[in-house]
Amino acid sequence: MDQLSVGDTAPDFELPVGPGESVRLSDKLAHHEHAVIAFFPAAWSPVCGDAVLVLEAVADELRRLGACIVGICPDNFWSTRAWAEHLGLSFPLASDFEPKGKVARSYGVFHDEGICQPAQFIVDEARRVEMAHIVPLGKSPGAHMILKRLEELRSRG
Amino acid sequence: MAEAEVDVDPVELEAEITDDDHMRGPRDAPLTLVEYADYQCEACITGFHAVEKLMETHGDRLLLVFRHFPLMSYHPMAMPGALAADAAGKQGRFWEMHANIFDADGEFDDDDIVRWAHELGLDVDQFDEDRHSEELEQEIRQVRLDGARSGVNGTPTFFLNNRRIDIPPEHEYLAGYVEHFLTHIGDGDLRGQSQARPS
């Protein structure tokens, strides 16, 4: 599966965030103009910790710009939930564990080593991809691409 | 010192340096190091000691700019620490408070902040008023947001002459980059091999 690019339609998904709890992209988009979908290769890793905390640091601004945030990590939900609670995240961190990396594969960002690429997508209400930012393993993508694209989309009205 | 193999990420600092910034070193230095950091982040504490050492070894050629990037969801004292440093800065003692906070290795509370203010000879009533002001907290949040817009991707994040450098926050790496930049500042050859941090 090729990596999703701008203009592609992003697959919908429903993933667990804890026992008996899940997050569905289309449900989120029913209430927001855009969704920021952020893939984190491995819970508890230092670089992913950097990446997720930078996203959390700008979470209020992303919401002000009309976006919801969904984090995705290919670890089981006990691990992703504990990690999210440990870091005090305000957005859901979904577990893409069973089948392993199913959503990451459908977005073209699953990695051979059983983890996913650090990747960020912005999709609109119709799940059209408005931004795709994928960085090498070991790098944190920051939040600058997301902020700039959402600001552009907002200014465009 | 051997020249380091460097990877200068093509991410450029957009948040311009102004007189409102916390700066140390000669204003006309050939190199400017901008650091975004959080007072309770372990890597930032390592980075603090690395930067202090760097200022000893290269301080005559380096302007240091420190900016706050508090990760409040994870570090409850990061914002109070940033507020305390900036409030001390209003009385000309930013760098002393900054050093006290980092020297505490992430373990400090409000009592420590007040004690440091007394030890620094601050007007503590004014210091308390300043560090509890909503305006100052908004300024710090804006610095953080502008940093994120510029490509801050973790704490600490360093920009050397406006280019983000993704390195472990240790003196040998920082000094290697500084040496490389000093060598190549005129020829624009600021790229090299990757030194991505471990994931």
Side-chain angles (χ1 to χ4, degrees):
Chain A
M1 177 80 191
D2 292 339
Q3 291 173 351
L4 292 186
S5 303
V6 172
D8 290 343
T9 299
D12 195 12
F13 58 79
E14 180 172 12
L15 288 172
V17 293
E21 303 167 54
S22 65
V23 59
R24 183 193 294 269
L25 176 61
S26 50
D27 288 348
K28 286 285 190 182
L29 285 169
H31 304 287
H32 297 84
E33 294 169 42
H34 295 96
V36 171
I37 303 163
F39 287 87
F40 302 98
W44 304 99
S45 84
V47 176
C48 291
D50 275 346
V52 76
L53 284 170
V54 169
L55 203 56
E56 176 61 36
V58 300
D60 285 346
E61 180 67 5
L62 302 185
R63 293 184 190 106
R64 193 187 69 75
L65 292 166
C68 62
I69 308 164
V70 179
I72 298 177
C73 184
D75 291 306
N76 74 55
F77 65 68
W78 294 110
S79 179
T80 56
R81 190 175 75 159
W83 192 46
E85 289 177 355
H86 179 70
L87 298 177
L89 301 187
S90 63
F91 56 84
L93 184 65
S95 165
D96 190 17
F97 187 66
E98 182 56 43
K100 181 82 166 174
K102 179 183 175 186
V103 174
R105 290 176 204 275
S106 72
Y107 279 64
V109 294
F110 194 72
H111 192 275
D112 289 343
E113 295 171 10
I115 54 180
C116 62
Q117 289 287 134
Q120 300 169 331
F121 298 91
I122 295 174
V123 301
D124 68 10
E125 292 154 310
R127 284 186 281 116
R128 179 185 182 277
V129 175
E130 292 282 2
M131 187 215 75
H133 182 214
I134 297 148
V135 301
L137 283 173
K139 292 273 190 186
S140 165
H144 54 299
M145 301 289 283
I146 296 170
L147 284 163
K148 286 174 184 168
R149 186 62 183 140
L150 284 176
E151 285 164 358
E152 282 173 9
L153 292 166
R154 177 51 67 96
S155 68
R156 197 191 287 171
Chain B
M1 179 175 296
E3 188 175 308
E5 293 177 336
V6 297
D7 173 23
V8 182
D9 214 303
V11 175
E12 300 236 347
L13 182 69
E14 294 180 6
E16 289 183 7
I17 296 164
T18 73
D19 289 339
D20 292 335
D21 273 307
H22 305 296
M23 290 184 266
R24 271 169 68 192
R27 302 297 169 94
D28 60 349
L31 295 182
T32 299
L33 181 70
V34 178
E35 177 185 10
Y36 285 86
D38 162 306
Y39 283 127
Q40 280 195 296
C41 145
E42 196 175 331
C44 299
I45 295 164
T46 302
F48 164 71
H49 295 291
V51 168
E52 290 302 302
K53 192 172 174 187
L54 189 70
M55 293 305 284
E56 288 174 15
T57 56
H58 295 79
D60 57 332
R61 290 162 288 171
L62 192 65
L63 175 66
L64 170 65
V65 178
F66 182 88
R67 290 175 173 168
H68 300 297
F69 202 92
L71 302 168
M72 289 97 81
S73 71
Y74 186 39
H75 295 142
M77 289 304 290
M79 178 59 91
L83 286 161
D86 279 9
K90 288 181 180 294
Q91 298 184 45
R93 307 302 292 274
F94 172 83
W95 292 104
E96 293 87 344
M97 183 62 79
H98 169 84
N100 280 331
I101 297 170
F102 269 135
D103 279 337
D105 284 338
E107 298 287 333
F108 62 96
D109 59 19
D110 207 62
D111 290 344
D112 294 315
I113 287 171
V114 172
R115 177 169 52 81
W116 293 326
H118 281 289
E119 289 171 359
L120 290 172
L122 302 183
D123 174 341
V124 177
D125 288 341
Q126 185 64 53
F127 170 76
D128 275 337
E129 185 180 327
D130 288 339
R131 75 190 175 98
H132 290 120
S133 86
E134 198 168 311
E135 185 182 352
L136 191 59
E137 179 165 340
Q138 281 307 316
E139 286 175 14
I140 292 168
R141 287 176 181 269
Q142 189 63 48
V143 165
R144 187 178 67 165
L145 180 58
D146 290 343
R149 280 201 188 98
S150 276
V152 169
N153 64 347
T155 54
T157 291
F158 295 102
F159 293 85
L160 192 54
N161 281 16
N162 288 342
R163 293 164 188 242
R164 193 180 76 195
I165 54 173
D166 287 346
I167 55 169
E170 292 162 12
H171 177 258
E172 65 184 285
Y173 294 101
L174 282 168
Y177 266 87
V178 164
E179 289 290 338
H180 181 87
F181 269 60
L182 286 168
T183 303
H184 294 285
I185 203 160
D187 61 23
D189 175 20
L190 300 176
R191 297 197 63 83
Q193 290 189 314
S194 175
Q195 288 181 331
R197 285 173 287 178
S199 59

